[in-house]
Amino acid sequence: MAQSTPIAGRFGTHGRVLVADLTTKTSRVEEIDESVYRQFLGGYGLGAWLLWKHFPAGTDPLAPEACFGIVSGLLTGARTPFSGRIQIVGKSPLTGTWADSNSGGSVASQLRHAGYDALLVTGRASEPTVLVVRDGEVRFDPAGDLWGQEIPPVFDELRRRYGGKSEVGVSAIGPAGEKQSRIASVMNDRYHAFGRQGFGAIYGSKNLKAIVVGGTGEVPIADPKRFRELCAGVNAEYKSSLSPFARFMVFMAKPKRRMGWMYRMMTRRGMKVEAPVAAMRQLWSDRGTTGAVAISVENGDAPLKNWTGVAAKDFPIKSKSWKLDGGEVDKYITKKLSCGDCPAPCKGIVAVKKRGLSDVRRPDYETLAGFGANLLNDDLEVVTACHDACNRYGMDAVSASATLAWLAECYEKGFVSREELDGIDMRWGNGEAALELTIKMGRGEGCGEWLRHGSAAASKHLGRGTEALAVHVHGSEPAYHDTRFTSLMGVTYVSDPTPGRHTAGSASWNETFNSKFPIPNAVDDKEVTVGWRDTAGKGVAQAHFSNAHQVLNGLGLCMFTNLTGVLPWLDLTNALTGWKLDERELLACGERIQNLRAAFNLREGILPGDFKPHPRMLGEGDGNLQSGPLKGIRVPLGELKHDYYVAMGWNPETGRISRSRADKLGMTDILGAFVEA
């Protein structure tokens, strides 16, 4: 039986990682020196350190020897505002690269209450299994009766067996993960997902149906009085911002059907949108990422028609995209939904009576853009049903919808027949067809069998020249933020160790919204402020923002707080741990995390040149749009990526870090052969 006794004199961390072997049905505790946390924090940082140590180089991500980790951010589990997050790390079966994902839910906080900072899972169970962790007890319970079941009944049954939402956190897969779809996701506390990169397939490869964690302990805090004062201050500040006046400001600024010309003009002129903090907090609390869907479609942020469309022509705000905006989504909401420990919960539960849907997680921006605008489908109820199908079967909505957009283009151009799609008419705008195919992908049935691994794999299966139509970076479909609109998001797509990701850290929010740097005194403000339509200083800004984003992940905080005002990261960290870091030292932790994530790829034989953007992402070929706000825009991603590598101290050809930078970060020994000679 594993032990969970805290290490004496340790604050902010337990210094304990639970290692579970599904093959032998045994577990052990690995003690971690405090210096590891001071260098890499928690979350992705601790996770990268653990996988660097435990993941056998070159191992197939679906092999029994492969491991993955569920990791708590440093501030998670201590009731810190905006810290209700869970983080997972591993190797992606979709891209073969470093993989991580960040989700709402209580598994990580329960893990901390059980006395652990992380859970590392290896091996392969001989039968479907639920891994159960309760304080110092670890069990491997049979789950044969749950195998094959969809997410809602699985969570209902796991709650019945193991306890309510205040007692345990639950992480589970659906049929897509069981069948090892490369775009399968893991669902947490029913409504939240480890999306992108195929973590559901990793669970499925290990015969792991679910993880259940419950704990009754506490995270040790160095200065409890100061820490609680800081937390109370953040909560009070956010709640005071949610006011009738802020709500009125949001009402006045909400998308208007008649203002499409203005949204297009702002893009053409490169005009940044900088909203008052109070208004952003109100908007985010009310609608989360659905708050400006119609604007994002009209101004070019959301790619349409598999990256070939123009909103004013193909999906105009007056008659189409407004139907998918937050105000319309609000009509279906039955209650609010929080990730946990959040003073401004931004998610919701919806019901669609006509389709028999209830207790469904509200579709967010990526889903509305993916199953809606990108497919030229303006039926919000069908979009919600597609979103529900992804969550029900456990499948990433970005990759699933992007695969269908690729398929719609193939269908339009005659590369695939209706008969090959089981009689489904997958033309642009046919939302019902998209729903049928989403379900087939989730089940792995019929044509869904070859569609369920994403567009890169599907195009290889189909052939006929369709590979040229699949928009992806190293196998991963980019998210619904167009590189022709925000070039620095494009740099993230092709430079971060997790290709195609939009939640990996970017200066794009400063590029387009003038968002401030979240660690204000760590760098000169001039180094983190960039223009929209030029390249000057963007490599340096991207480096700083990507490193800061890894600090956020290491602390376990919500990324959207970067749009709603700066949180006291440093003060919270020092009050929790007693470390007395300064802001530059905190930012250096993020840089170490980014370097270790990148070095994992180098160790796997992946070089910088392997992450290639699709020509449409550069504004080349049919991606060079002839109308709309992105007309004629070309994106110098090669130049911007080079500048980012230089700013990080990485060799643009080999990816290796310079010795001087490695020495300054104290990483020369751990990186070893991946430091420039």
Side-chain angles (χ1 to χ4, degrees):
M1 180 181 294
Q3 300 298 311
S4 58
T5 306
I7 297 175
R10 177 75 67 86
F11 295 107
T13 70
H14 295 295
R16 293 180 177 274
V17 171
L18 178 64
V19 182
D21 189 324
L22 293 168
T23 301
T24 61
K25 295 185 179 180
T26 59
S27 65
R28 61 182 176 84
V29 173
E30 181 174 324
E31 294 190 356
I32 310 297
D33 191 83
E34 189 173 20
S35 63
V36 173
Y37 298 88
R38 291 187 68 124
Q39 287 182 299
F40 297 100
L41 305 175
Y44 290 175
L46 177 60
W49 186 87
L50 288 169
L51 259 65
W52 188 257
K53 178 180 179 183
H54 289 282
F55 195 97
T59 300
D60 187 296
L62 302 182
E65 300 78 25
C67 61
F68 74 88
I70 289 182
V71 197
S72 169
L74 197 66
L75 295 172
T76 298
R79 300 178 184 86
T80 317
F82 299 105
S83 70
R85 310 297 299 172
I86 322 165
Q87 298 181 48
I88 191 169
V89 296
K91 182 180 178 181
S92 170
L94 179 67
T95 63
T97 67
W98 167 262
D100 49 40
S101 189
N102 195 322
S103 167
S106 61
V107 172
S109 59
Q110 290 287 356
L111 191 63
R112 293 268 269 173
H113 295 159
Y116 310 106
D117 298 318
L119 167 65
L120 197 68
V121 181
T122 189
R124 175 182 290 159
S126 59
E127 61 180 354
T129 297
V130 176
L131 174 59
V132 183
V133 179
R134 285 187 179 275
D135 287 322
E137 179 187 16
V138 180
R139 299 204 315 267
F140 302 84
D141 291 354
D145 60 325
L146 299 177
W147 204 254
Q149 290 195 35
E150 298 170 10
I151 289 297
V154 166
F155 274 82
D156 289 344
E157 178 59 22
L158 291 173
R159 291 295 188 193
R160 187 191 69 78
R161 292 181 189 179
Y162 299 108
K165 63 181 181 180
S166 64
E167 299 171 280
V168 293
V170 180
S171 172
I173 59 170
E178 293 171 1
K179 294 185 177 182
Q180 298 176 41
S181 160
R182 299 302 194 271
I183 61 172
S185 59
V186 177
M187 300 304 295
N188 299 303
D189 291 351
R190 185 168 179 164
Y191 304 109
H192 312 281
F194 286 138
R196 314 311 320 265
Q197 300 184 288
F199 277 103
I202 295 176
Y203 272 50
S205 73
K206 295 184 175 301
N207 268 333
L208 180 63
K209 182 64 176 180
I211 295 173
V212 177
V213 185
T216 56
E218 297 289 339
V219 177
I221 300 174
D223 188 343
K225 183 175 183 295
R226 173 62 175 156
F227 187 77
R228 295 304 169 206
E229 286 175 350
L230 288 166
C231 292
V234 171
N235 285 327
E237 181 182 340
Y238 268 79
K239 289 178 180 178
S240 67
S241 295
L242 307 181
S243 65
F245 177 70
R247 190 175 292 275
F248 174 75
M249 292 173 65
V250 171
F251 173 79
M252 294 301 294
K254 70 179 182 179
K256 296 176 176 59
R257 295 166 65 180
R258 66 182 184 276
M259 300 298 287
W261 65 271
M262 185 181 74
Y263 308 140
R264 297 191 297 272
M265 180 192 70
M266 293 176 71
T267 298
R268 290 194 191 102
R269 296 189 177 182
M271 297 169 60
K272 294 187 180 185
V273 178
E274 186 174 4
V277 168
M280 285 299 295
R281 289 175 178 173
Q282 185 71 61
L283 175 64
W284 215 259
S285 180
D286 288 347
R287 293 179 178 171
T289 63
T290 71
V293 174
I295 291 177
S296 291
V297 172
E298 192 70 18
N299 69 13
D301 180 27
L304 306 181
K305 208 175 179 183
N306 201 27
W307 292 69
T308 65
V310 176
K313 177 170 62 101
D314 299 304
F315 207 72
I317 191 171
K318 284 185 177 181
S319 58
K320 297 286 185 179
S321 65
W322 74 270
K323 297 178 183 178
L324 304 178
D325 206 66
E328 299 303 304
V329 178
D330 285 352
K331 297 175 182 178
Y332 296 88
I333 291 180
T334 57
K335 64 180 178 180
K336 296 287 285 183
L337 175 66
S338 170
C339 296
D341 293 321
C342 181
C346 66
K347 299 176 175 62
I349 302 297
V350 299
V352 182
K353 294 181 181 179
K354 292 180 182 178
R355 293 187 170 270
L357 299 177
S358 61
D359 200 19
V360 172
R361 162 77 182 268
R362 178 201 68 195
D364 289 313
Y365 169 81
E366 297 293 331
T367 314
L368 293 164
F371 287 106
N374 195 29
L375 297 179
L376 306 188
N377 166 39
D378 64 359
D379 189 328
L380 178 57
E381 295 190 353
V382 173
V383 171
T384 303
C386 291
H387 175 75
D388 175 61
C390 285
N391 287 350
R392 185 173 293 274
Y393 293 104
M395 189 166 59
D396 179 63
V398 173
S399 284
S401 58
T403 300
L404 293 182
W406 162 82
L407 188 63
E409 185 174 0
C410 292
Y411 188 74
E412 176 189 48
K413 293 181 174 178
F415 291 128
V416 64
S417 68
R418 187 166 179 169
E419 289 70 29
E420 290 175 293
L421 300 181
D422 305 330
I424 297 173
D425 180 19
M426 190 53 210
R427 53 187 160 78
W428 296 113
N430 190 346
E432 297 292 350
L435 177 57
E436 286 186 75
L437 287 166
T438 301
I439 293 171
K440 283 182 174 288
M441 291 166 69
R443 292 175 175 171
E445 297 176 350
C447 62
E449 169 62 29
W450 55 271
L451 288 169
R452 66 191 177 97
H453 297 306
S455 62
S459 68
K460 288 180 181 178
H461 170 88
L462 189 60
R464 308 170 194 174
T466 61
E467 295 93 335
L469 308 182
V471 181
H472 65 88
V473 180
H474 205 68
S476 178
E477 295 81 4
Y480 291 110
H481 298 280
D482 199 313
T483 52
R484 294 164 296 190
F485 177 83
T486 167
S487 63
L488 288 177
M489 185 62 76
V491 176
T492 303
Y493 291 157
V494 299
S495 299
D496 190 79
T498 58
R501 291 275 298 286
H502 69 296
T503 55
S506 174
S508 64
W509 284 357
N510 179 269
E511 183 181 38
T512 55
F513 300 125
N514 208 35
S515 293
K516 304 305 179 186
F517 193 64
I519 315 178
N521 299 313
V523 297
D524 191 311
D525 189 58
K526 293 179 181 178
E527 294 185 356
V528 288
T529 304
V530 295
W532 194 351
R533 293 301 181 208
D534 55 38
T535 60
K538 286 190 172 180
V540 172
Q542 181 77 358
H544 287 320
F545 269 96
S546 64
N547 292 338
H549 192 84
Q550 297 313 318
V551 174
L552 178 139
N553 288 325
L555 297 177
L557 296 172
C558 170
M559 67 178 284
F560 292 118
T561 55
N562 289 344
L563 284 175
T564 57
V566 175
L567 295 181
W569 293 1
L570 182 68
D571 292 341
L572 286 166
T573 300
N574 285 334
L576 180 77
T577 63
W579 288 345
K580 299 181 181 178
L581 299 177
D582 62 30
E583 289 192 324
R584 290 183 181 274
E585 290 172 318
L586 188 62
L587 184 59
C589 292
E591 187 174 353
R592 291 189 195 98
I593 297 171
Q594 189 71 342
N595 271 279
L596 204 50
R597 293 169 76 240
F600 183 94
N601 282 355
L602 296 181
R603 194 173 69 173
E604 295 301 307
I606 298 168
L607 297 175
D610 293 336
F611 289 1
K612 296 180 175 64
H614 191 280
R616 290 175 181 173
M617 298 169 63
L618 301 172
E620 296 179 352
D622 56 7
N624 191 283
L625 302 178
Q626 299 305 301
S627 62
L630 303 179
K631 178 181 177 181
I633 288 180
R634 307 293 288 270
V635 188
L637 273 189
E639 175 188 344
L640 292 171
K641 179 179 178 179
H642 176 276
D643 291 350
Y644 168 67
Y645 267 66
V646 170
M648 288 294 296
W650 298 344
N651 184 309
E653 301 298 325
T654 66
R656 293 177 179 173
I657 188 173
S658 69
R659 180 166 295 277
S660 61
R661 195 65 194 162
D663 287 346
K664 187 173 182 179
L665 292 170
M667 297 188 72
T668 304
D669 289 341
I670 191 172
L671 294 179
F674 304 103
V675 177
E676 286 280 274

